[in-house]
Amino acid sequence: MPLLEAVSLTVDGAVATIRLNRPDKLNAMNLAMWHDIRTALRYVDETPAIRVAILEGEGKAFTAGIDLQMMMGVGAQVRDDCDGRTRENLRRVILDLQDTLTSLERCRKPVLAAVHGACVGGGIDLICCADMRYCAADAWFTIKEIDIGMVADVGTLQRLPRLIGDGMARELAYTARKFDAAEAREMRLVNRVFESPDALRAGVRAIADVIAAKSPLSVRGVKEMISYARDHTVADGLNYVATWNAAMLMSSDLQAAMTAGMSKSTPTFRD
């Protein structure tokens, strides 16, 4: 288990829970948290016994977004006597933060985001990378970057339009207006709204358990195919899945599922 500073990681059965863990700061995303998220997702990906991950926040909120002290410290971090090198350094910082969030997509296991309370700025960048999103009735969201005079640069503007449509994504990004759980469900940002944070945790865990009982090899393949199809043509996706199944279909998981189906029993799959 990796050593983490701003995120906690627990494993219960085949399900890992990654929890943003700076409750006194409303889980504001400082540099340690960015690094911890990537480390935790790498551990989930590399640990065969983990089949699903849940991403949630400790305390009153999911996250208040990027830590402003971290933002204010970027200038000193990237400064160089050469203006070109300063700007190159800043670009590398941004690319590294982008990579942290992409680690959710890079992880072969499904990642389920469970949002309660505030989900601000960088929090939306984060949940847009998850496989599915769920929230409690008290959740609220805002793409806040425009209000601090910047363009959101770690994924929201690239991923959100594909989730909720171009027009609505533009409205939210241009205005920074708050929207609640009901509207998030209406625009299909979240799959389901639960009545309370406790109900959210229980409900998302139940979904994770269902997924964890399926063929791990097949679940990983489904994630790979859906993620690939998002950024490619239908023809590309069909070609890729044909190649994938030519390599992966004849597995022990397929045999276990077929045998269980014929005997009307519950299949057991290896990690």
Side-chain angles (χ1 to χ4, degrees):
M1 192 79 73
L3 294 175
L4 304 171
E5 177 183 337
V7 164
S8 67
L9 173 64
T10 57
V11 179
D12 180 12
V15 178
T17 299
I18 301 168
R19 185 174 292 115
L20 309 183
N21 195 25
R22 299 183 73 213
D24 56 322
K25 302 293 185 181
L26 296 179
N27 296 323
M29 300 167 69
N30 64 356
L31 188 59
M33 183 176 289
W34 289 87
H35 290 167
D36 283 356
I37 289 170
R38 182 165 50 197
T39 299
L41 266 297
R42 184 183 300 119
Y43 180 81
V44 167
D45 181 68
E46 294 175 351
T47 304
I50 298 174
R51 299 185 179 185
V52 185
I54 297 171
L55 177 65
E56 59 185 37
E58 183 68 47
K60 297 179 180 179
F62 180 72
T63 177
I66 193 166
D67 188 284
L68 292 182
Q69 288 189 333
M70 173 184 159
M71 287 277 291
M72 292 170 62
V74 167
Q77 179 185 349
V78 303
R79 186 175 297 118
D80 190 280
D81 291 340
C82 169
D83 187 59
R85 286 174 171 79
T86 296
R87 298 182 187 283
E88 181 187 39
N89 290 340
L90 179 56
R91 179 175 181 270
R92 287 173 59 82
V93 168
I94 295 169
L95 289 173
D96 187 59
L97 297 180
Q98 291 175 353
D99 183 74
T100 288
L101 302 190
T102 301
S103 68
L104 277 73
E105 296 177 336
R106 196 161 53 234
C107 177
R108 294 169 300 152
K109 323 296 177 63
V111 181
L112 284 58
V115 180
H116 74 286
C119 181
V120 176
I124 294 184
D125 292 291
L126 177 58
I127 66 171
C128 283
C129 299
D131 291 79
M132 295 97 83
R133 289 151 294 280
Y134 303 89
C135 72
D138 71 343
W140 59 272
F141 307 79
T142 176
I143 303 172
K144 196 65 175 171
E145 285 84 351
I146 199 76
D147 280 349
I148 58 172
M150 67 171 288
V151 176
D153 60 3
V154 289
T156 287
L157 302 184
Q158 292 69 39
R159 293 183 174 98
L160 188 64
R162 298 171 185 267
L163 297 173
I164 68 172
D166 184 82
M168 184 56 73
R170 287 174 183 266
E171 176 185 319
L172 298 175
Y174 292 153
T175 65
R177 72 171 178 84
K178 292 171 61 173
F179 57 101
D180 62 13
E183 187 175 3
R185 175 67 183 89
E186 182 181 3
M187 68 176 68
R188 299 185 178 181
L189 176 61
V190 299
N191 289 13
R192 195 178 308 174
V193 177
F194 293 87
E195 63 182 13
S196 68
D198 286 343
L200 170 69
R201 283 187 284 271
V204 173
R205 176 59 197 241
I207 295 167
D209 285 338
V210 170
I211 297 169
K214 306 299 183 184
S215 157
L217 189 63
S218 297
V219 169
R220 295 195 293 266
V222 169
K223 176 165 183 171
E224 179 80 12
M225 291 308 119
I226 293 177
S227 297
Y228 183 88
R230 182 192 65 183
D231 300 323
H232 295 79
T233 66
V234 172
D236 288 341
L238 290 170
N239 183 63
Y240 188 27
V241 74
T243 304
W244 180 278
N245 267 356
M248 306 291 186
L249 184 62
M250 306 308 292
S251 68
S252 60
D253 287 17
L254 179 68
Q255 186 63 45
M258 293 179 65
T259 300
M262 289 186 289
S263 63
K264 301 188 185 307
S265 59
T266 301
T268 300
F269 303 104
R270 59 172 288 191
D271 292 326

